[in-house]
Amino acid sequence: MLGGQVVRACLQAQYRYVCWSNTVLRRWQSMGAQKVKIGTHDGVFHCDEVLACAMLRQLPQFQHAEIVRSRDPSVLEKCNIMVDVGGQYDPNRHRYDHHQ
């Protein structure tokens, strides 16, 4: 019985968090903010960027993010987060390339 209550409480908390983050995202977008963008390299897909993009899309703040595939620094710089491209690892700026 206790296990079921814990599971129910966890599911309710998760539901409230997802609703809250969707509300924040809608407000942010209604204020004229651009869609959230995940940047990665173009060309052949590899397991590392596919996994990174798929895991990011599981997070409420990235679930509707557009995936931008390019190697052009001016295009990628406009992305909110970059994975597997750019030659930088800087968590403060959401730049995650393990090739630097």
Side-chain angles (χ1 to χ4, degrees):
M1 187 66 142
L2 180 60
Q5 292 172 335
V6 170
V7 169
R8 190 174 313 111
C10 289
L11 289 174
Q12 289 171 344
Q14 181 181 16
Y15 175 76
R16 282 192 301 271
Y17 177 74
V18 168
C19 290
W20 172 82
S21 39
N22 284 339
T23 301
V24 169
L25 181 62
R26 278 194 301 276
R27 284 184 188 158
W28 184 67
Q29 288 174 335
S30 71
M31 293 187 306
Q34 295 179 351
K35 186 172 186 163
V36 176
K37 295 179 181 179
I38 301 170
T40 190
H41 63 78
D42 59 0
V44 178
F45 267 123
H46 302 119
C47 294
D48 51 357
E49 77 270 3
V50 171
L51 179 63
C53 291
M55 290 177 72
L56 285 168
R57 296 283 305 268
Q58 297 304 304
L59 298 171
Q61 63 267 41
F62 294 109
Q63 69 183 6
H64 301 293
E66 175 185 349
I67 297 176
V68 176
R69 299 184 67 223
S70 178
R71 290 195 186 269
D72 183 345
S74 64
V75 172
L76 292 169
E77 193 59 38
K78 296 174 187 172
C79 295
N80 303 87
I81 186 167
M82 287 176 16
V83 295
D84 202 39
V85 68
Q88 304 172 35
Y89 181 83
D90 184 356
N92 294 326
R93 294 183 53 236
H94 299 295
R95 302 300 186 240
Y96 303 100
D97 188 1
H98 61 99
H99 299 289
Q100 73 281 1

